[in-house]
Amino acid sequence: MSGTTDPQLQHTLKKRHLSMIAIAGVIGAGLFVGSGVAIRETGPGVLVAYALAGIVVILVMRMLGEMSTANPETGSFSAYADRAIGRWAGFSIGWLYAWFWIIVLGIEATAGAVIMNRWIPDVPQWSWALILMVLLTLTNIASVKSFGEFEFWFASIKVAAIVIFLVLGVLAICGALPGVEAPGLTNLTGHGGFFPNGAGAVFAAVLVVVFSFFGAEIATIAAGESANPVAAVRNAVRSVVWRILIFYIGSIAVVVTLLPWDDASVALSPYVAVMDSFGIPAAGNIMDVVVLTSVLSCLNSGLYTASRMIFSLSRRGDAPASLSKIGSSGVPRQAVLVSTVVGFLTVGLNYLYPDTVFLFLVNSSGAIALFVWLAISVSQLRMRRSLEAEGKDLSLKMWLFPYLTWCTIAAIIALCVGMLVLPETRSQMYVSMGLAVVVVGIGIYRQRTRGAVDETPDPSTSGEEVDALRP
């Protein structure tokens, strides 16, 4: 054995980096733009949908936090599924999760390119997508600290935008904003009432808004490269409650209180519509800046997350060994480059075949969030007893175990069934399930094959040793 040591992942992410990564994980372009669709379909009752979806995410993050504080790992829930459910489960959920974020790279790069092309039309849209992908790839390859620094500032802009929006919104609701008349409860109870489209529309909206919260788990993956991963995970999980309450439910409450839910401008871009009502000039351009920041943040964190999950899979023998190599800067460069190459391909497919191939790829990732949350819940259900038996310090415990764990599992299964029932989401569930079946099948085959190899005695072993190996 040589005296040299292999490069390791660098633990250079600071507390402020992890705090902002945790916050940024639940603030995406879906909140600023996609929430308009949910409001249009549900009315003011969309607040109930966000609250229900938020409760599921809070419970899932609590379970993940329990496992992560006991065993902080870069592979996070994939590594925990390995131990709690089986090697096939860790393999399957790890690859499905990496696939989700790789597809997101193509979606977000295209969204960012659309905004940039709107500002500078002389540069083709595909060129902007290429530029954005290259920029964020270089950031991720340089060092984990550069990733954290970029994410910190991206998240800071998003947080500042929402805080300003909330302050102005509360002032307007209270009648303290000059030139804006206090609306009272008119927009909440008028225009058909709080549930204008019936209570059933709330459940349908949950299926739309629940995916907006996906990304909160990134903090548990990034924590593996921080100086104090246990404290980082604990803080991220404990803060998820107020993040959801303030950033999502709070800002949506401002929208549906200040403006009629059936206003066309709300469906198009709710936050721009509210800012227009304040008389803020160039509200659309301001929101473009915020959305572009969200896109860049998602690109940055998506590339990081996909590469670290692939790195973890490689370390566990579930991906090519070369992908676990770490460069002198402490970054698994090959894992980053593999994620980027596939991301580039998805961008190209979006421009060449937007309504066929790329749509199929997007649908294939549509329900992965639910699969990941289900794996986290089942893993925690099975790991809790073993962690306690090992004497692990569970500084962060799941509430009312195992009852709330079972309730969460039931809720996630209900959401999966709901996706199959609703025509708007059925195709996504079918394609996602098809992909999951293939990946799980490969995982089970690999586990059985590996198990058979592991159980084969060494030819050089004596007959008595062979007998001793038999059960």
Side-chain angles (χ1 to χ4, degrees):
M1 188 174 179
S2 64
T4 60
T5 58
D6 292 331
Q8 299 295 317
L9 292 175
Q10 300 297 302
H11 301 282
T12 52
L13 288 177
K14 299 178 181 178
K15 183 178 179 180
R16 65 182 178 88
H17 293 146
L18 266 295
S19 297
M20 280 301 180
I21 288 170
I23 291 172
V26 293
I27 305 175
L31 171 62
F32 298 114
V33 181
S35 55
V37 176
I39 294 172
R40 181 188 62 201
E41 297 295 329
T42 318
V46 74
L47 290 171
V48 177
Y50 273 102
L52 293 174
I55 289 171
V56 173
V57 176
I58 288 168
L59 293 175
V60 169
M61 283 299 294
R62 187 78 185 187
M63 287 185 276
L64 181 56
E66 177 183 289
M67 296 183 289
S68 296
T69 51
N71 290 295
E73 291 194 30
T74 300
S76 189
F77 49 82
S78 173
Y80 308 142
D82 245 11
R83 300 178 200 169
I85 305 173
R87 290 298 303 274
W88 65 270
F91 170 90
S92 303
I93 211 64
W95 276 112
L96 287 172
Y97 187 72
W99 175 249
F100 173 88
W101 285 110
I102 287 171
I103 295 300
V104 166
L105 295 181
I107 297 171
E108 298 296 332
T110 303
V114 169
I115 295 173
M116 294 301 298
N117 182 252
R118 193 155 58 230
W119 290 344
I120 310 176
D122 291 339
V123 179
Q125 192 172 314
W126 66 268
S127 297
W128 282 120
L130 181 65
I131 291 168
L132 295 177
M133 286 286 289
V134 170
L135 173 65
L136 274 305
T137 299
L138 294 175
T139 299
N140 273 267
I141 284 179
S143 68
V144 68
K145 188 176 180 180
S146 64
F147 153 76
E149 205 62 40
F150 269 76
E151 196 59 24
F152 174 81
W153 291 108
F154 288 151
S156 297
I157 293 172
K158 292 192 289 186
V159 170
I162 289 191
V163 169
I164 293 171
F165 179 85
L166 285 170
V167 170
L168 293 175
V170 171
L171 289 174
I173 291 170
C174 296
L177 194 66
V180 180
E181 185 179 348
L185 299 178
T186 304
N187 295 319
L188 292 175
T189 57
H191 304 272
F194 195 74
F195 298 107
N197 297 322
V202 174
F203 179 72
V206 171
L207 292 174
V208 174
V209 305
V210 72
F211 299 103
S212 301
F213 295 113
F214 200 49
E217 72 291 333
I218 292 176
T220 65
I221 295 173
E225 293 178 80
S226 68
N228 191 342
V230 174
V233 169
R234 191 163 51 238
N235 291 337
V237 172
R238 285 176 175 169
S239 66
V240 75
V241 177
W242 66 260
R243 282 184 277 141
I244 289 174
L245 283 174
I246 295 175
F247 294 132
Y248 270 87
I249 299 177
S251 61
I252 296 297
V254 167
V255 173
V256 295
T257 302
L258 288 175
L259 297 175
W261 67 271
D262 51 358
D263 190 302
S265 62
V266 173
L268 184 64
S269 184
Y271 290 80
V272 172
V274 170
M275 289 192 296
D276 278 335
S277 72
F278 294 160
I280 296 176
N285 289 332
I286 294 173
M287 189 49 60
D288 270 348
V289 172
V290 176
V291 172
L292 179 62
T293 302
S294 296
V295 164
L296 294 175
S297 172
C298 196
L299 271 174
N300 193 39
S301 58
L303 184 53
Y304 170 85
T305 306
S307 65
R308 292 316 188 268
M309 185 57 74
I310 291 173
F311 165 80
S312 175
L313 288 164
S314 176
R315 279 287 170 98
R316 287 178 274 142
D318 290 331
S322 61
L323 298 178
S324 63
K325 291 181 179 178
I326 301 174
S328 57
S329 61
V331 173
R333 292 184 177 178
Q334 293 192 39
V336 173
L337 291 174
V338 165
S339 303
T340 303
V341 168
V342 180
F344 277 126
L345 290 175
T346 58
V347 172
L349 291 171
N350 192 9
Y351 288 111
L352 295 173
Y353 311 104
D355 299 322
T356 52
V357 180
F358 186 73
L359 181 61
F360 176 81
L361 294 178
V362 171
N363 283 340
S364 72
S365 65
I368 287 177
L370 297 180
F371 300 158
V372 169
W373 291 340
L374 188 60
I376 291 171
S377 303
V378 174
S379 296
Q380 189 269 337
L381 184 68
R382 303 190 67 174
M383 276 187 72
R384 174 66 171 269
R385 306 286 190 222
S386 61
L387 289 173
E388 290 177 333
E390 292 169 13
K392 290 283 187 181
D393 178 24
L394 298 181
S395 58
L396 195 72
K397 289 186 176 183
M398 177 60 178
W399 303 298
L400 297 176
F401 177 82
Y403 308 108
L404 276 183
T405 298
W406 278 112
C407 288
T408 306
I409 291 172
I412 295 169
I413 292 174
L415 289 170
C416 290
V417 173
M419 286 192 71
L420 285 172
V421 171
L422 291 180
E424 299 84 359
T425 55
R426 189 178 298 147
S427 62
Q428 290 184 32
M429 178 55 82
Y430 280 149
V431 179
S432 296
M433 283 180 65
L435 175 64
V437 167
V438 171
V439 175
V440 168
I442 295 172
I444 292 174
Y445 173 77
R446 283 175 56 84
Q447 179 172 308
R448 289 180 176 175
T449 304
R450 183 177 293 165
V453 171
D454 291 343
E455 290 171 9
T456 303
D458 191 309
S460 62
T461 307
S462 68
E464 287 144 8
E465 289 171 315
V466 170
D467 289 337
L469 290 173
R470 292 192 181 110

